[in-house]
């Protein structure tokens, strides 16, 4: 018999459709449920990277902190800076709203399709013609695009270099949208100032070179990891199952 597969978020489910033909599997996901939680993690990474919080915590835990010093771990002030959003969908918009409302950040963004004006109303947001335009204009670049396909290694060596030695890259999307080897090289060579990553190209594997770098913040795919979000996802899957067996969309 044909089957229904419930996909939590946009995960890596492998579906065997041979049992009932090419069109025999109904696939559902949980859109909307993960929006706020993932946007919160994007802001967490942004703040931690800008203020070198990961370095500071490691220093304290290692017993290496010798007290306050006027030039210790100087970071980047986010207020008034420009955030660049690549992928202005639900999560991209939610991240942009947080950055604008909390820190007065200007917003530049790239999106394949038009974004309704009411979705970005009240923000100082400008759509750019190309991804390159966003990278050159932004102090912090946050990625919010699907993985795979044409988006694989969307952020290659050439694009990473456009972020600049003081710029930061944040990724809560999918690990394969960044050429991870190119990112390591860019961080080593000072072509980019820092990176905050919640996802990795071959997770759970994380390159030792990234782990060893002080100018990175690395999280274990926490995007939707709140109790409320995971419960909402579960309820949405149950609703999808009910609809499927009732013959509804």
């Amino acid at each position: 018999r044909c089957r229904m597969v419930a996909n939590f978020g946009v995960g890596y489910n492998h579906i065997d459709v041979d049992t009932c033909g090419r069109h025999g599997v109904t696939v559902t996901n949980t859109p909307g449920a993960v929006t706020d939680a993932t946007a919160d993690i994007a802001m967490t990474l942004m703040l931690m990277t800008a203020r070198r919080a990961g370095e500071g915590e490691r220093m304290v835990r290692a017993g290496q902190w010798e007290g306050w010093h006027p030039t210790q771990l100087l970071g980047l002030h986010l207020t008034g800076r420009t955030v660049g959003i690549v992928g202005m969908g639900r999560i991209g918009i939610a991240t942009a709203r947080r950055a604008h409302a909390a820190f007065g950040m200007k917003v530049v963004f790239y999106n394949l399709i038009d974004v309704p004006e009411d979705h970005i109303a009240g923000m100082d947001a400008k759509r750019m013609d190309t991804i390159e335009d966003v990278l050159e204009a932004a102090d912090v670049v946050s990625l919010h695009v699907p993985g795979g396909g044409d988006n694989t290694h969307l952020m290659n060596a050439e694009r990473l270099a456009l972020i600049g030695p003081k710029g930061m890259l944040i990724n809560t999307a999918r690990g394969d949208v960044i050429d991870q080897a190119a990112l390591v090289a860019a961080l080593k060579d000072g072509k980019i100032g820092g990176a905050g990553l919640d996802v990795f190209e071959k997770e759970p594997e994380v390159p030792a070179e990234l782990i060893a770098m002080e100018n990175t913040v690395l999280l274990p795919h926490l995007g939707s990891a709140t109790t409320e979000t995971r419960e909402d996802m579960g309820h949405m899957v149950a609703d999808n199952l009910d609809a499927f067996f009732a013959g509804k969309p």
Side-chain angles (χ1 to χ4, degrees):
R1 294 181 179 178
C2 296
R3 296 172 296 142
M4 185 258 198
V5 177
N7 182 1
F8 285 80
V10 281
Y12 297 104
N13 298 58
H14 297 281
I15 301 169
D16 178 8
V17 299
D18 292 338
T19 56
C20 49
R22 183 175 179 84
H23 303 292
V25 175
T26 297
V27 180
T28 75
N29 65 358
T30 56
V34 305
T35 298
D36 286 329
T38 307
D40 287 349
I41 286 293
M43 292 307 302
T44 299
L45 288 168
M46 211 177 290
L47 281 165
M48 289 185 70
T49 307
R51 297 301 302 274
R52 301 172 66 177
E55 291 178 70
E57 199 210 21
R58 287 189 290 275
M59 178 187 291
V60 172
R61 287 184 180 274
Q64 297 172 348
W65 185 45
E66 298 178 351
W68 184 88
H69 190 280
T71 59
Q72 179 176 264
L73 295 178
L74 298 180
L76 176 72
H77 200 52
L78 284 184
T79 300
R81 302 278 183 175
T82 299
V83 61
I85 305 291
V86 179
M88 199 67 161
R90 291 186 185 92
I91 299 172
I93 291 172
T95 301
R97 286 202 175 279
R98 284 158 169 74
H100 174 73
F103 300 102
M105 298 183 80
K106 298 176 182 177
V107 178
V108 295
F109 68 92
Y110 173 80
N111 203 58
L112 284 174
I113 61 174
D114 290 337
V115 179
E117 284 297 323
D118 62 316
H119 288 195
I120 57 175
M123 283 192 290
D124 184 0
K126 180 180 180 182
R127 183 178 182 180
M128 309 298 271
D129 293 330
T130 67
I131 292 175
E132 286 76 10
D133 290 339
V134 170
L135 304 181
E136 290 178 328
D139 299 296
V140 185
V141 176
S142 191
L143 305 178
H144 302 281
V145 294
D150 292 340
N151 287 339
T152 301
H153 290 185
L154 183 75
M155 296 299 299
N156 54 28
E158 292 75 18
R159 282 176 168 162
L160 289 168
L162 294 177
I163 298 175
K166 294 184 179 180
M168 302 184 307
L169 178 65
I170 306 299
N171 189 14
T172 57
R174 285 290 179 259
D176 66 355
V177 303
I178 298 176
D179 182 337
Q180 206 159 255
L183 175 61
V184 169
L187 289 164
K188 277 186 175 180
D189 297 341
K191 292 181 179 179
I192 179 175
L197 310 173
D198 189 41
V199 288
F200 305 90
E201 194 165 0
K202 296 178 181 179
E203 59 184 62
E205 176 187 328
V206 181
E209 290 176 299
L210 274 180
I211 293 173
M213 290 178 176
E214 289 290 6
N215 57 345
T216 62
V217 177
L218 312 174
L219 298 181
H221 205 140
L222 295 180
S224 65
T226 71
T227 301
E228 296 90 344
T229 299
R230 295 286 167 84
E231 287 178 349
D232 287 346
M233 292 165 69
H235 289 311
M236 190 174 290
V237 168
D239 290 343
N240 287 339
L241 286 164
D242 287 342
F244 173 79
F245 288 112
K248 297 178 181 179

